[in-house]
Amino acid sequence: MKKISIILALMILLVSVTGCGATDKAKDGDNQPKNESPTELVISTWGYSEDLLWENVFTPFEEANNVKIVLETGNNSERLTKLKTNPDSNIDIIYLAEAFAQEGIEAGLFDELDYSKIDNAKKIDEKAKYLVEAGYGPAYTLNRAAIAYDPNKVGFEIKSWNDLWKSELKGKISIPEITTTFGPATMYIASNSKGVDITSDNGEEAFKALEELKPNLVKTYTKSSDLANMFANNEIEVAITADFAYPRVKAGAPDVVFVDPEEGAFINFNTINIVKSSKNKDLAIKFINYALSTEVQTRTAKALGESPVNTEVELTDEEAANLTYGEVVGKSNTVDHKFVNKMKTQWIDKWNRTLNQ
């Protein structure tokens, strides 16, 4: 009987100990960290090449950082205007062409950045360093305006911006509207043709030069598709245009060439800024550093045709054929968008009275 009692006691003790162990284990499991849901990062950008952007930029960042990226798309003006009307927006990061980024800076919409946390900014081309030095969002890609023309129809080699004023080109030229990306650069080109620094006279000589150019102009254009159609339909033989528009022109008019004038092309930088109301600023900084990395810049150059600002990116001649890359960057000119934005309203009015009436 005693043996049975002892055996029963031992069994009860064993069950009790095992039960405690199971209970403790369950409690330990409850305290284990659970998979956190991804952080939402809202990015405002253009709507083109979204599939390629997801594949080469956004999805790899999501997977590496437990992030869910949400896009807001539209053109520069639409997205900046929307942000101005709602400065408490949930947008974290905004991609803008340099002129529009400058507007956002002047409106107090963006954060100054701590570049000590953006190591890849050290790799940015010298031409774009002034954006870093200003303290706001850096350039992540660039493009340039040069001259597209059909040498078979023009009958002479165009080497200089000043060649656009030659009488042989009467009724053969198109230039970008003042409100487009390279409209301000066209003002610089016109002023330079008079040998005048545009900032010294607020564009007065530029407008005189544009008046003199008027006989050579067929029309101004706002869309690269319109420009391509004019070349294809033999309405024009020469244009000031961007590198990103040239392939479309070439497709419809195979004899058209794209040349950098001897005085240098004009550069536009596209930028990434952090919106002041962002709740994910550390993550946004991380994204900017990632976007400037050699790996990402190489992928976007090859897959999307985005000219890299990272000087460590190495491309073959074929890969760089339609990009603003290498020596051409150093020879190109920049535009002072602080000055341009100050003059913009006045210039648009005078441009319309000079060229569009």
Side-chain angles (χ1 to χ4, degrees):
M1 196 72 178
K2 272 186 180 180
K3 285 183 180 179
I4 293 171
S5 297
I6 291 169
I7 291 169
L8 285 171
L10 287 170
M11 289 176 67
I12 291 168
L13 180 62
L14 182 62
V15 170
S16 175
V17 169
T18 305
C20 287
T23 304
D24 289 343
K25 206 175 244 185
K27 285 181 181 178
D28 288 344
D30 287 343
N31 290 330
Q32 293 298 316
K34 297 176 180 176
N35 291 332
E36 295 181 7
S37 58
T39 303
E40 188 172 276
L41 189 70
V42 182
I43 299 178
S44 175
T45 186
W46 300 276
Y48 57 77
S49 302
E50 275 193 42
D51 290 347
L52 291 173
L53 276 170
W54 279 108
E55 180 183 348
N56 292 281
V57 182
F58 300 141
T59 299
F61 186 80
E62 284 184 322
E63 293 173 350
N65 296 280
N66 192 29
V67 170
K68 179 184 177 183
I69 289 175
V70 176
L71 298 186
E72 179 207 65
T73 59
N75 65 35
N76 286 292
S77 181
E78 291 168 348
R79 294 182 293 111
L80 182 60
T81 300
K82 187 175 179 181
L83 187 58
K84 283 180 177 179
T85 57
N86 181 21
D88 295 323
S89 165
N90 67 337
I91 293 169
D92 297 297
I93 293 169
I94 188 165
Y95 285 67
L96 290 170
E98 187 182 354
F100 293 90
Q102 184 58 39
E103 277 190 48
I105 291 168
E106 290 167 4
L109 298 175
F110 307 144
D111 263 354
E112 291 190 57
L113 305 186
D114 181 356
Y115 274 97
S116 69
K117 297 179 180 178
I118 308 176
D119 289 340
N120 288 321
K122 297 171 186 174
K123 304 173 185 178
I124 288 177
D125 190 278
E126 285 298 321
K127 284 282 185 179
K129 284 286 177 69
Y130 68 92
L131 291 168
V132 172
E133 290 164 2
Y136 291 91
Y140 75 94
T141 188
L142 67 155
N143 41 56
R144 76 189 190 280
I147 296 174
Y149 80 103
D150 187 333
N152 297 325
K153 293 177 181 176
V154 168
F156 66 91
E157 185 179 4
I158 295 179
K159 297 181 178 180
S160 167
W161 290 114
N162 294 340
D163 289 339
L164 300 179
W165 276 262
K166 288 186 174 181
S167 59
E168 297 96 311
L169 297 181
K170 183 177 180 180
K172 296 181 179 180
I173 296 176
S174 183
I175 62 175
E177 261 294 329
I178 184 68
T179 52
T180 64
T181 300
F182 286 110
T186 303
M187 287 287 294
Y188 273 68
I189 292 162
S191 188
N192 290 347
S193 75
K194 291 287 191 180
V196 175
D197 177 353
I198 196 168
T199 62
S200 68
D201 70 346
N202 293 334
E204 287 301 315
E205 288 299 311
F207 281 109
K208 290 179 183 177
L210 289 171
E211 185 72 48
E212 293 168 8
L213 183 65
K214 197 170 181 180
N216 290 3
L217 296 180
V218 176
K219 65 184 294 186
T220 59
Y221 69 92
T222 56
K223 297 179 181 178
S224 57
S225 57
D226 293 339
L227 181 69
N229 289 336
M230 285 190 285
F231 269 112
N233 295 330
N234 298 312
E235 295 176 56
I236 60 171
E237 298 173 7
V238 185
I240 296 173
T241 190
D243 54 2
F244 58 78
Y246 174 62
R248 190 167 187 170
V249 170
K250 183 79 170 174
D255 292 334
V256 173
V257 297
F258 187 69
V259 297
D260 294 295
E262 57 193 12
E263 304 91 344
F266 274 83
I267 285 177
N268 162 70
F269 291 110
N270 288 339
T271 66
I272 311 178
N273 271 281
I274 297 177
V275 178
K276 192 164 281 187
S277 59
S278 170
K279 303 296 190 297
N280 300 301
K281 293 182 180 179
D282 288 342
L283 186 59
I285 285 278
K286 192 172 187 178
F287 179 86
I288 289 175
N289 193 50
Y290 160 83
L292 296 177
S293 68
T294 306
E295 180 186 359
V296 174
Q297 292 261 303
T298 301
R299 286 204 304 261
T300 55
K302 293 179 179 181
L304 286 98
E306 289 187 346
S307 301
V309 295
N310 184 318
T311 56
E312 292 185 355
V313 174
E314 295 184 2
L315 303 173
T316 65
D317 290 344
E318 184 179 356
E319 290 165 343
N322 293 317
L323 302 183
T324 298
Y325 173 81
E327 290 183 5
V328 69
V329 179
K331 294 177 181 177
S332 294
N333 306 284
T334 57
V335 171
D336 181 351
H337 286 286
K338 287 183 181 179
F339 166 71
V340 169
N341 286 350
K342 183 179 69 174
M343 301 304 302
K344 184 179 287 187
T345 301
Q346 179 182 327
W347 280 3
I348 290 172
D349 178 64
K350 194 163 184 177
W351 177 286
N352 287 332
R353 286 187 283 111
T354 303
L355 298 180
N356 295 334
Q357 288 184 352

